[in-house]
């Protein structure tokens, strides 16, 4: 008697999910599923409106130097900054290496104070510095350590799933206690 045994494995990983997705289908790299899937991305979390490329070019430089994709979680990305994001993503999707990195812009979840608190949660979960409007943070001086990370991320039109976010345990615990 021969038995056919099928084995399934289930791997459980830490993650962080929220109900908000990409700002444009132009960032989808799995078009048939309308998803953006990136591995080991760097994550910028800010409530600033990003429009001036020269203020944020350092973020692109860090990602390109580290050969890592970029996730931007921001209230609004427009003008020169949006054009640069679309161009560098298109270059990366076309297989060009020089001056290109895959990226995705994500709209933060919620509105008003709820959005502000959600962005602080996201920053804590992935280990990013939350760059707030009106803070003394100088965008031109951003460092790799100011950007968060996770093992992988999946972004759809209405959802984002971060797998194994790299936040510091003490920051996550502080956010939990605050809530």
């Amino acid at each position: 008697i021969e038995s056919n045994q099928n084995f399934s494995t289930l791997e459980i990983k830490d993650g962080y999910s929220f109900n908000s997705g990409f700002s444009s289908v132009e960032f989808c790299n799995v078009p048939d599923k309308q998803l953006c899937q990136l591995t080991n991305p760097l994550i910028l979390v800010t409530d600033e409106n990003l429009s001036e490329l020269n203020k944020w070019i350092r973020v692109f430089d860090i990602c390109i130097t580290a050969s890592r994709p970029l996730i931007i979680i921001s209230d609004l990305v427009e003008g020169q900054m949006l054009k640069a994001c679309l161009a560098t993503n298109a270059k990366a999707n076309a297989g060009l290496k020089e001056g290109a990195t895959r990226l995705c812009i994500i709209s933060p979840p919620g509105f008003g104070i709820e959005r502000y608190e959600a962005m602080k949660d996201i920053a804590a979960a992935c280990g990013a510095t939350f760059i707030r409007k009106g803070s003394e943070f100088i965008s031109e001086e951003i460092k790799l350590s100011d950007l968060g990370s996770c093992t992988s991320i999946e972004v759809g039109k209405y959802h984002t799933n971060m797998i194994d976010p790299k936040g510091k345990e003490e920051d996550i615990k502080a956010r939990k206690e605050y809530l």
Side-chain angles (χ1 to χ4, degrees):
I1 298 174
E2 289 184 29
S3 64
N4 184 2
Q5 295 181 344
N6 292 325
F7 291 98
S8 296
T9 59
L10 175 64
E11 187 176 346
I12 298 174
K13 293 191 173 195
D14 287 334
Y16 186 87
S17 297
F18 54 93
N19 293 329
S20 191
F22 52 71
S23 62
S24 170
V25 295
E26 296 295 321
F27 298 112
C28 292
N29 61 356
V30 185
D32 57 322
K33 294 183 179 181
Q34 291 280 296
L35 293 174
C36 176
Q37 295 176 331
L38 299 173
T39 303
N40 198 26
L42 294 171
I43 304 169
L44 171 67
V45 183
T46 181
D47 65 350
E48 283 197 37
N49 294 339
L50 308 181
S51 59
E52 297 176 46
L53 179 60
N54 61 340
K55 282 185 69 179
W56 296 95
I57 195 75
R58 178 87 180 107
V59 175
F60 289 100
D61 292 342
I62 291 169
C63 292
I64 291 167
T65 300
S67 297
R68 293 176 65 185
L70 173 64
I71 296 291
I72 298 173
I73 302 173
S74 174
D75 283 338
L76 182 64
V77 179
E78 62 184 357
Q80 294 174 330
M81 186 68 171
L82 179 59
K83 288 177 187 173
C85 289
L86 292 169
T88 193
N89 194 57
K91 280 186 192 178
N93 287 338
L96 302 175
K97 300 276 186 207
E98 191 172 322
T101 189
R102 291 193 192 280
L103 63 91
C104 185
I105 299 171
I106 301 172
S107 302
F111 299 95
I113 193 72
E114 179 185 322
R115 175 175 275 191
Y116 176 78
E117 293 298 332
M119 292 178 82
K120 287 170 70 175
D121 291 346
I122 293 165
C126 70
T129 300
F130 176 45
I131 302 169
R132 298 178 325 171
K133 281 182 199 172
S135 70
E136 295 180 18
F137 188 87
I138 300 170
S139 57
E140 294 92 335
E141 295 177 6
I142 197 165
K143 303 179 296 297
L144 179 62
S145 60
D146 294 317
L147 302 173
S149 186
C150 60
T151 300
S152 64
I153 192 164
E154 178 183 274
V155 185
K157 188 172 182 179
Y158 302 111
H159 77 278
T160 298
N161 298 318
M162 283 192 270
I163 307 303
D164 194 23
K166 305 296 182 189
K168 295 177 187 155
E169 195 61 42
E170 61 268 13
D171 293 342
I172 295 167
K173 186 177 180 181
R175 286 301 298 160
K176 285 179 182 178
E177 288 175 3
Y178 173 78
L179 298 174

